[in-house]
PDB file of all heavy atoms in Angstrom:
ATOM      1  N   LYS A  19      70.219  31.645  95.184  1.00 98.00           N
ATOM      2  CA  LYS A  19      69.738  32.666  94.252  1.00 98.00           C
ATOM      3  C   LYS A  19      68.410  33.205  94.795  1.00 98.00           C
ATOM      4  O   LYS A  19      67.527  32.432  95.135  1.00 98.00           O
ATOM      5  CB  LYS A  19      69.513  32.043  92.873  1.00 98.00           C
ATOM      6  CG  LYS A  19      68.923  32.990  91.872  1.00 98.00           C
ATOM      7  CD  LYS A  19      68.626  32.294  90.552  1.00 98.00           C
ATOM      8  CE  LYS A  19      67.855  33.242  89.643  1.00 98.00           C
ATOM      9  NZ  LYS A  19      67.286  32.558  88.507  1.00 98.00           N
ATOM     10  N   PRO A  20      68.278  34.546  94.891  1.00 98.00           N
ATOM     11  CA  PRO A  20      67.005  35.098  95.337  1.00 98.00           C
ATOM     12  C   PRO A  20      65.891  34.768  94.345  1.00 98.00           C
ATOM     13  O   PRO A  20      66.069  34.932  93.130  1.00 98.00           O
ATOM     14  CB  PRO A  20      67.249  36.606  95.387  1.00 98.00           C
ATOM     15  CG  PRO A  20      68.736  36.774  95.375  1.00 98.00           C
ATOM     16  CD  PRO A  20      69.278  35.586  94.645  1.00 98.00           C
ATOM     17  N   ARG A  21      64.779  34.283  94.871  1.00 98.00           N
ATOM     18  CA  ARG A  21      63.607  33.991  94.047  1.00 98.00           C
ATOM     19  C   ARG A  21      62.426  34.720  94.655  1.00 98.00           C
ATOM     20  O   ARG A  21      62.300  34.833  95.879  1.00 98.00           O
ATOM     21  CB  ARG A  21      63.305  32.483  94.024  1.00 98.00           C
ATOM     22  CG  ARG A  21      64.443  31.599  93.521  1.00 98.00           C
ATOM     23  CD  ARG A  21      64.696  31.710  92.028  1.00 98.00           C
ATOM     24  NE  ARG A  21      63.595  31.300  91.206  1.00 98.00           N
ATOM     25  CZ  ARG A  21      63.441  30.079  90.702  1.00 98.00           C
ATOM     26  NH1 ARG A  21      64.315  29.137  90.952  1.00 98.00           N
ATOM     27  NH2 ARG A  21      62.401  29.821  89.936  1.00 98.00           N
ATOM     28  N   SER A  22      61.547  35.221  93.802  1.00 97.00           N
ATOM     29  CA  SER A  22      60.367  35.912  94.297  1.00 97.00           C
ATOM     30  C   SER A  22      59.125  35.279  93.693  1.00 97.00           C
ATOM     31  O   SER A  22      59.219  34.497  92.729  1.00 97.00           O
ATOM     32  CB  SER A  22      60.418  37.400  93.953  1.00 97.00           C
ATOM     33  OG  SER A  22      60.189  37.594  92.574  1.00 97.00           O
ATOM     34  N   LEU A  23      57.981  35.623  94.236  1.00 97.00           N
ATOM     35  CA  LEU A  23      56.727  35.115  93.671  1.00 97.00           C
ATOM     36  C   LEU A  23      56.597  35.530  92.226  1.00 97.00           C
ATOM     37  O   LEU A  23      56.068  34.792  91.394  1.00 97.00           O
ATOM     38  CB  LEU A  23      55.543  35.615  94.500  1.00 97.00           C
ATOM     39  CG  LEU A  23      54.169  35.120  94.034  1.00 97.00           C
ATOM     40  CD1 LEU A  23      54.091  33.606  94.119  1.00 97.00           C
ATOM     41  CD2 LEU A  23      53.070  35.769  94.839  1.00 97.00           C
ATOM     42  N   ARG A  24      57.121  36.703  91.884  1.00 96.00           N
ATOM     43  CA  ARG A  24      57.042  37.188  90.492  1.00 96.00           C
ATOM     44  C   ARG A  24      57.682  36.223  89.505  1.00 96.00           C
ATOM     45  O   ARG A  24      57.290  36.158  88.354  1.00 96.00           O
ATOM     46  CB  ARG A  24      57.709  38.567  90.378  1.00 96.00           C
ATOM     47  CG  ARG A  24      56.963  39.678  91.113  1.00 96.00           C
ATOM     48  CD  ARG A  24      57.661  41.035  90.975  1.00 96.00           C
ATOM     49  NE  ARG A  24      59.045  41.044  91.419  1.00 96.00           N
ATOM     50  CZ  ARG A  24      59.442  41.175  92.690  1.00 96.00           C
ATOM     51  NH1 ARG A  24      58.560  41.316  93.630  1.00 96.00           N
ATOM     52  NH2 ARG A  24      60.724  41.183  92.988  1.00 96.00           N
ATOM     53  N   ASP A  25      58.643  35.409  89.969  1.00 96.00           N
ATOM     54  CA  ASP A  25      59.280  34.414  89.103  1.00 96.00           C
ATOM     55  C   ASP A  25      58.302  33.336  88.660  1.00 96.00           C
ATOM     56  O   ASP A  25      58.565  32.657  87.663  1.00 96.00           O
ATOM     57  CB  ASP A  25      60.447  33.726  89.828  1.00 96.00           C
ATOM     58  CG  ASP A  25      61.573  34.680  90.178  1.00 96.00           C
ATOM     59  OD1 ASP A  25      61.724  35.729  89.505  1.00 96.00           O
ATOM     60  OD2 ASP A  25      62.313  34.381  91.138  1.00 96.00           O
ATOM     61  N   PHE A  26      57.208  33.170  89.383  1.00 95.00           N
ATOM     62  CA  PHE A  26      56.278  32.079  89.094  1.00 95.00           C
ATOM     63  C   PHE A  26      54.951  32.563  88.516  1.00 95.00           C
ATOM     64  O   PHE A  26      54.149  31.738  88.069  1.00 95.00           O
ATOM     65  CB  PHE A  26      56.033  31.259  90.368  1.00 95.00           C
ATOM     66  CG  PHE A  26      57.302  30.786  90.999  1.00 95.00           C
ATOM     67  CD1 PHE A  26      57.768  31.339  92.182  1.00 95.00           C
ATOM     68  CD2 PHE A  26      58.086  29.813  90.392  1.00 95.00           C
ATOM     69  CE1 PHE A  26      58.956  30.936  92.767  1.00 95.00           C
ATOM     70  CE2 PHE A  26      59.294  29.388  90.959  1.00 95.00           C
ATOM     71  CZ  PHE A  26      59.721  29.958  92.150  1.00 95.00           C
ATOM     72  N   ILE A  27      54.711  33.877  88.532  1.00 93.00           N
ATOM     73  CA  ILE A  27      53.481  34.418  87.972  1.00 93.00           C
ATOM     74  C   ILE A  27      53.441  34.089  86.481  1.00 93.00           C
ATOM     75  O   ILE A  27      54.449  34.151  85.786  1.00 93.00           O
ATOM     76  CB  ILE A  27      53.389  35.951  88.220  1.00 93.00           C
ATOM     77  CG1 ILE A  27      53.322  36.234  89.724  1.00 93.00           C
ATOM     78  CG2 ILE A  27      52.186  36.551  87.503  1.00 93.00           C
ATOM     79  CD1 ILE A  27      52.122  35.676  90.453  1.00 93.00           C
ATOM     80  N   GLY A  28      52.256  33.757  86.000  1.00 94.00           N
ATOM     81  CA  GLY A  28      52.110  33.345  84.609  1.00 94.00           C
ATOM     82  C   GLY A  28      51.903  31.845  84.488  1.00 94.00           C
ATOM     83  O   GLY A  28      51.483  31.344  83.454  1.00 94.00           O
ATOM     84  N   LYS A  29      52.195  31.136  85.566  1.00 94.00           N
ATOM     85  CA  LYS A  29      51.903  29.698  85.663  1.00 94.00           C
ATOM     86  C   LYS A  29      51.063  29.484  86.906  1.00 94.00           C
ATOM     87  O   LYS A  29      51.151  30.256  87.872  1.00 94.00           O
ATOM     88  CB  LYS A  29      53.206  28.885  85.835  1.00 94.00           C
ATOM     89  CG  LYS A  29      53.964  28.616  84.581  1.00 94.00           C
ATOM     90  CD  LYS A  29      55.117  27.656  84.875  1.00 94.00           C
ATOM     91  CE  LYS A  29      54.704  26.293  84.389  1.00 94.00           C
ATOM     92  NZ  LYS A  29      55.826  25.339  84.378  1.00 94.00           N
ATOM     93  N   LYS A  30      50.263  28.440  86.895  1.00 97.00           N
ATOM     94  CA  LYS A  30      49.616  28.029  88.141  1.00 97.00           C
ATOM     95  C   LYS A  30      50.745  27.601  89.072  1.00 97.00           C
ATOM     96  O   LYS A  30      51.712  26.962  88.642  1.00 97.00           O
ATOM     97  CB  LYS A  30      48.676  26.865  87.876  1.00 97.00           C
ATOM     98  CG  LYS A  30      47.593  27.174  86.885  1.00 97.00           C
ATOM     99  CD  LYS A  30      46.828  25.905  86.564  1.00 97.00           C
ATOM    100  CE  LYS A  30      46.428  25.918  85.117  1.00 97.00           C
ATOM    101  NZ  LYS A  30      45.811  24.649  84.717  1.00 97.00           N
ATOM    102  N   THR A  31      50.633  27.962  90.331  1.00 98.00           N
ATOM    103  CA  THR A  31      51.715  27.691  91.281  1.00 98.00           C
ATOM    104  C   THR A  31      51.156  27.028  92.526  1.00 98.00           C
ATOM    105  O   THR A  31      50.130  27.445  93.058  1.00 98.00           O
ATOM    106  CB  THR A  31      52.439  29.004  91.655  1.00 98.00           C
ATOM    107  OG1 THR A  31      52.898  29.630  90.454  1.00 98.00           O
ATOM    108  CG2 THR A  31      53.601  28.762  92.572  1.00 98.00           C
ATOM    109  N   VAL A  32      51.866  26.006  92.986  1.00 98.00           N
ATOM    110  CA  VAL A  32      51.503  25.316  94.211  1.00 98.00           C
ATOM    111  C   VAL A  32      52.629  25.593  95.216  1.00 98.00           C
ATOM    112  O   VAL A  32      53.774  25.162  95.017  1.00 98.00           O
ATOM    113  CB  VAL A  32      51.375  23.792  93.988  1.00 98.00           C
ATOM    114  CG1 VAL A  32      50.971  23.103  95.286  1.00 98.00           C
ATOM    115  CG2 VAL A  32      50.371  23.492  92.880  1.00 98.00           C
ATOM    116  N   LEU A  33      52.321  26.359  96.254  1.00 98.00           N
ATOM    117  CA  LEU A  33      53.283  26.669  97.314  1.00 98.00           C
ATOM    118  C   LEU A  33      53.085  25.672  98.444  1.00 98.00           C
ATOM    119  O   LEU A  33      51.999  25.583  99.031  1.00 98.00           O
ATOM    120  CB  LEU A  33      53.084  28.087  97.833  1.00 98.00           C
ATOM    121  CG  LEU A  33      53.239  29.233  96.824  1.00 98.00           C
ATOM    122  CD1 LEU A  33      52.928  30.566  97.499  1.00 98.00           C
ATOM    123  CD2 LEU A  33      54.617  29.227  96.199  1.00 98.00           C
ATOM    124  N   LEU A  34      54.138  24.919  98.743  1.00 97.00           N
ATOM    125  CA  LEU A  34      54.106  23.882  99.786  1.00 97.00           C
ATOM    126  C   LEU A  34      54.989  24.325 100.941  1.00 97.00           C
ATOM    127  O   LEU A  34      56.211  24.317 100.822  1.00 97.00           O
ATOM    128  CB  LEU A  34      54.663  22.569  99.241  1.00 97.00           C
ATOM    129  CG  LEU A  34      54.096  22.018  97.950  1.00 97.00           C
ATOM    130  CD1 LEU A  34      54.918  20.845  97.476  1.00 97.00           C
ATOM    131  CD2 LEU A  34      52.642  21.634  98.149  1.00 97.00           C
ATOM    132  N   PHE A  35      54.388  24.722 102.036  1.00 97.00           N
ATOM    133  CA  PHE A  35      55.169  25.057 103.226  1.00 97.00           C
ATOM    134  C   PHE A  35      55.311  23.772 104.047  1.00 97.00           C
ATOM    135  O   PHE A  35      54.309  23.114 104.361  1.00 97.00           O
ATOM    136  CB  PHE A  35      54.455  26.117 104.051  1.00 97.00           C
ATOM    137  CG  PHE A  35      54.503  27.492 103.443  1.00 97.00           C
ATOM    138  CD1 PHE A  35      53.602  27.856 102.448  1.00 97.00           C
ATOM    139  CD2 PHE A  35      55.445  28.414 103.859  1.00 97.00           C
ATOM    140  CE1 PHE A  35      53.642  29.124 101.878  1.00 97.00           C
ATOM    141  CE2 PHE A  35      55.496  29.687 103.309  1.00 97.00           C
ATOM    142  CZ  PHE A  35      54.591  30.037 102.309  1.00 97.00           C
ATOM    143  N   TYR A  36      56.557  23.400 104.350  1.00 97.00           N
ATOM    144  CA  TYR A  36      56.804  22.188 105.129  1.00 97.00           C
ATOM    145  C   TYR A  36      57.688  22.528 106.310  1.00 97.00           C
ATOM    146  O   TYR A  36      58.545  23.393 106.239  1.00 97.00           O
ATOM    147  CB  TYR A  36      57.418  21.076 104.248  1.00 97.00           C
ATOM    148  CG  TYR A  36      58.746  21.395 103.615  1.00 97.00           C
ATOM    149  CD1 TYR A  36      59.925  20.942 104.179  1.00 97.00           C
ATOM    150  CD2 TYR A  36      58.829  22.147 102.451  1.00 97.00           C
ATOM    151  CE1 TYR A  36      61.160  21.216 103.596  1.00 97.00           C
ATOM    152  CE2 TYR A  36      60.049  22.436 101.851  1.00 97.00           C
ATOM    153  CZ  TYR A  36      61.212  21.969 102.433  1.00 97.00           C
ATOM    154  OH  TYR A  36      62.418  22.244 101.857  1.00 97.00           O
ATOM    155  N   PRO A  37      57.468  21.846 107.452  1.00 96.00           N
ATOM    156  CA  PRO A  37      58.175  22.205 108.672  1.00 96.00           C
ATOM    157  C   PRO A  37      59.696  22.030 108.623  1.00 96.00           C
ATOM    158  O   PRO A  37      60.414  22.926 109.026  1.00 96.00           O
ATOM    159  CB  PRO A  37      57.550  21.315 109.742  1.00 96.00           C
ATOM    160  CG  PRO A  37      56.170  21.045 109.225  1.00 96.00           C
ATOM    161  CD  PRO A  37      56.342  20.936 107.738  1.00 96.00           C
ATOM    162  N   ALA A  38      60.185  20.865 108.167  1.00 95.00           N
ATOM    163  CA  ALA A  38      61.628  20.639 108.285  1.00 95.00           C
ATOM    164  C   ALA A  38      62.102  19.554 107.331  1.00 95.00           C
ATOM    165  O   ALA A  38      61.550  18.457 107.310  1.00 95.00           O
ATOM    166  CB  ALA A  38      61.995  20.258 109.715  1.00 95.00           C
ATOM    167  N   ALA A  39      63.138  19.864 106.587  1.00 96.00           N
ATOM    168  CA  ALA A  39      63.761  18.886 105.699  1.00 96.00           C
ATOM    169  C   ALA A  39      64.258  17.692 106.516  1.00 96.00           C
ATOM    170  O   ALA A  39      64.648  17.826 107.671  1.00 96.00           O
ATOM    171  CB  ALA A  39      64.941  19.528 104.961  1.00 96.00           C
ATOM    172  N   PHE A  40      64.219  16.530 105.878  1.00 96.00           N
ATOM    173  CA  PHE A  40      64.731  15.282 106.429  1.00 96.00           C
ATOM    174  C   PHE A  40      63.895  14.688 107.554  1.00 96.00           C
ATOM    175  O   PHE A  40      64.292  13.703 108.158  1.00 96.00           O
ATOM    176  CB  PHE A  40      66.192  15.410 106.876  1.00 96.00           C
ATOM    177  CG  PHE A  40      67.133  15.726 105.755  1.00 96.00           C
ATOM    178  CD1 PHE A  40      67.671  17.009 105.617  1.00 96.00           C
ATOM    179  CD2 PHE A  40      67.483  14.768 104.817  1.00 96.00           C
ATOM    180  CE1 PHE A  40      68.543  17.311 104.588  1.00 96.00           C
ATOM    181  CE2 PHE A  40      68.349  15.067 103.779  1.00 96.00           C
ATOM    182  CZ  PHE A  40      68.881  16.338 103.670  1.00 96.00           C
ATOM    183  N   THR A  41      62.744  15.269 107.854  1.00 94.00           N
ATOM    184  CA  THR A  41      61.857  14.647 108.834  1.00 94.00           C
ATOM    185  C   THR A  41      60.917  13.704 108.080  1.00 94.00           C
ATOM    186  O   THR A  41      60.698  13.860 106.879  1.00 94.00           O
ATOM    187  CB  THR A  41      61.060  15.700 109.622  1.00 94.00           C
ATOM    188  OG1 THR A  41      60.302  16.494 108.711  1.00 94.00           O
ATOM    189  CG2 THR A  41      61.977  16.583 110.449  1.00 94.00           C
TER     190      THR A  41
END
Side-chain angles (χ1 to χ4, degrees):
K19 176 184 172 193
R21 302 289 297 266
S22 73
L23 181 62
R24 292 180 304 278
D25 296 335
F26 307 108
I27 297 297
K29 279 187 102 169
K30 301 173 216 174
T31 304
V32 181
L33 300 177
L34 308 171
F35 287 82
Y36 61 99
F40 297 106
T41 58

